[in-house]
Amino acid sequence: MTVDERQVDRLRPTPLLLTAAATLVASIVLFVVNYSEQRTHVVWGWIPALLSAVVSGWACRRTAFSPGLDRVTSRVWRSLAVVCAFIVLGVAGDARHYVLDPSASDRDHDVVASIGYGLSIMVLLWTLMRLPIGSRQRRDRLMVRFVLDAATVTVTLGVFSWYFTISVLDAAPVGSVAVGPMLMLAVLGTLGSLAFLKVKVTGLGGLDPIALRLLAGAAAVGALGGALFPLTGNVHPGLSGAMTYIPGTLLFVVLAADRQRRAAHLHVPHRRARPFSVAPYLAVAATDGLLVVVSSSAGGVVLTVALAAVVLTALVVARQINALSENGRLLRRVDANLLELNRYQTQLTHRANHDALTDLANRTLFEQKTQEALDRTGEDAETLSLALIDLDDFKAINDRLGHAVGDAMLVVVADRLREAVRTDDVVARLGGDEFGLLLHGLRSDEATEVLDRIAESLTRPVHALGYDLLVKASIGLAEVWPEASPQELLRRADLAMYAAKERGKGRHAVYDARLEQDQAADAQLGAELRRALDDGDFTLVYQPIVSLPGGEWTSLETLIRWKHPERGFIGPDVFIPIAERTGLIVPLGDWILRTALRQAAEWQERFGAAAPGEIGVNVSARQLREPGFAADVRAALADTGFDPEKLVVEVTETAVFDGGVALDALQNLVTLGVRIALDDFGTGHSSLGLLRTCPADTLKVDKSFVDGIGGRSEEAVIATAMIQITNGLHLQAIAEGVETAEQAETLYRLGYRFAQGYHFSRPLSADQVSEHLAEHRPLTV
């Protein structure tokens, strides 16, 4: 228990406690003053009892509405307040009866008092019977035990009361003592006390154990006072023992209410109940004591037999208590094992349903929560959205910095996702760098606000094992529809996520029907791509790169063409993106590289110095991220015998803008002697910093800057700036898409020495290139 809890737990005088104690003292003083003769008016003797009943009722009501109590505990204290209200009625009835009948005594009550006291006992027993003890089997078991204990105590009280009454009646006038009501009151009060103790031992919910002991004490005081005072027979008419034992009883109630109110916020450790009830054994012991007392007057054989019976009873009780204690130890051991087993089961269940790294829900639990949400959606028409999050370029982080850094980054991302959503939303790690969100009560347009918040949280650098990393995520969102399933909802979100990736990194997309059409078309074309690759339906063409101003060939760029048997020629801008999404770009790119190298090696062998000085091959970002790409290029060079220094790998800015594995692959190619060209420069993530980090020695200025190069256009300004940059960095500049002589002349005037475009030559087949090389082969003498 903490210091604050000890301070709260300490009993302190309160106005209610002081008032209850004062009424008890006042009742005792008035009783003593009027004991020998009535010196005050009769009503003064009942005022402390009446006031104590009011105070105790208010204390119980105040406790019932104290914060921190559970529903059952609050109901118990409300019921006790009702009991006190009926006691007020009973005390008022007694006071009225004693005022109207000066000869009244404890032996009788008027109708009002009998109704008040009777109702108070009935409400008390009803309250105890309504307590939720647990399962029906446990409730029945405890009820049987309580009935047996109550029967044992009742018999014992009956025997003692009978013996004591006989002893008193022998000396009392006939009819001066009413035995039946007194015995009934003693039995009911004792049963009430026993019931409170049984509830305390059971450990019911929020009822404080100390408060229950005090309530049991109140029931016991009331029972003994109500039963024993009338048996004294020495009190004159007009004076009642209830004037003192009622304030004493209710002082215990006020103490119990105060204790319960103070303990409402305390952590009460669970205490294991004894394996047996003490009450029946105390009853047997008391009866044995009475048997010895009664037998002592007979002496001889009767006393000997009585003593032997008492000893045998004690031995049997000791043996039973020992057996019950041993059973209790065994049960505690079993309970401890069960508790440990439950803890292991809880841990195993948690591990089975949660990701070990981030402690988020895993795919299994996510689908389960999604199904539950869909079931509720069907019943309550609740709106539901599901988001799928994929971290961009996570593989590059793992490959460059190691899996430990990648794992640390995933943990930080998981924490930020938790912070970005509401408590009733579900965040899950579905595998690798893929996360799922279940957003309750949000339509897709509302859920996009959450996605914006997530994207904003990920813009802050992620600190992972000493590295500050920038994280981007592509997010797909799907909204629930009638008869949706978790798998289909995930599929739609996945489809939207890939659509977001196609639009660029760090974006989100919402599912719509057009994505299905695009996917179906992509799937169909992807299958045809695979067949075309197997059937050899692809061909390569080569576009010359020329020197300015004369237009002599210096190198060739390799381009791919696909003649579909039904659709005819399909442009690279259509099938290359599909090949990248499906992964077919990897085998297709390998075929392009090897075919181009074989053809270039053949031209070198056939035409010698007249052959193109270099052969350029386009490589996609997907190929650069493939493990061992540089090794595959080295193998292709070795197989064809082509000079690595005459191979130019053309990549776009976007492919290498984020660095990572793609940049490492280019560095490995440069180590082999391969040259690097940045293709379509100026249309992607253009950055001067990229020119410092990317090992490129050639910039190919995009056609869009060449089209309007004449005059004082902005394109001319940009083209001029680019040639100045390349000259300053000692890079080669090639202008793409030159279609007119005017453009060629302007480019030359600006400082460009190399160009490419339809003005010089359209892409040519291998045979057409061979014819051109043969025609322009230098003559030998």
Side-chain angles (χ1 to χ4, degrees), residues 477-513:
L477 185 67
E479 185 179 335
V480 73
W481 70 97
E483 300 183 5
S485 67
Q487 294 74 21
E488 180 62 18
L489 195 58
L490 272 169
R491 189 194 68 82
R492 292 191 175 187
D494 186 68
L495 192 60
M497 184 265 292
Y498 277 105
K501 278 189 177 294
E502 292 176 14
R503 299 171 188 173
K505 299 176 183 178
R507 300 174 181 269
H508 62 259
V510 180
Y511 171 87
D512 60 44

Side-chain angles (χ1 to χ4, degrees), residues 80 83 87 121 124-125 128 157 185-197 211-227 245-246 248-253 256:
L80 290 178
V83 171
I87 293 177
I121 293 176
L124 177 62
L125 294 178
L128 295 174
L157 285 175
L185 183 60
V187 170
L188 288 175
T190 305
L191 291 180
S193 177
L194 183 63
F196 278 120
L197 291 175
L212 287 171
R213 290 196 193 103
L214 291 170
L215 290 175
V221 170
L224 292 174
Y245 71 73
I246 287 180
T249 299
L250 296 178
L251 176 61
F252 276 88
V253 175

Side-chain angles (χ1 to χ4, degrees), residues 134-152:
S135 63
R136 180 171 182 178
Q137 183 178 4
R138 182 171 183 262
R139 185 166 58 248
D140 294 343
R141 186 169 62 250
L142 290 176
M143 183 59 68
V144 171
R145 292 180 184 176
F146 176 74
V147 170
L148 293 175
D149 291 349
T152 304

Side-chain angles (χ1 to χ4, degrees), residues 451-534:
L451 303 187
D452 290 335
R453 193 161 61 244
I454 290 173
E456 182 181 356
S457 70
L458 294 179
T459 57
R460 303 193 308 270
V462 172
H463 187 73
L465 298 183
Y467 294 92
D468 288 325
L469 307 173
L470 294 178
V471 180
K472 291 185 178 180
S474 299
I475 308 175
L477 185 67
E479 185 179 335
V480 73
W481 70 97
E483 300 183 5
S485 67
Q487 294 74 21
E488 180 62 18
L489 195 58
L490 272 169
R491 189 194 68 82
R492 292 191 175 187
D494 186 68
L495 192 60
M497 184 265 292
Y498 277 105
K501 278 189 177 294
E502 292 176 14
R503 299 171 188 173
K505 299 176 183 178
R507 300 174 181 269
H508 62 259
V510 180
Y511 171 87
D512 60 44
R514 287 174 298 179
L515 295 179
E516 295 283 4
Q517 299 171 0
D518 294 342
Q519 185 197 40
D522 287 357
Q524 176 66 27
L525 198 57
E528 294 174 355
L529 271 173
R530 178 76 263 181
R531 286 195 297 270
L533 185 60
D534 294 339

Side-chain angles (χ1 to χ4, degrees), residues 298-311:
V301 176
V302 175
L303 179 59
T304 302
V305 173
L307 290 174
V310 170
V311 171

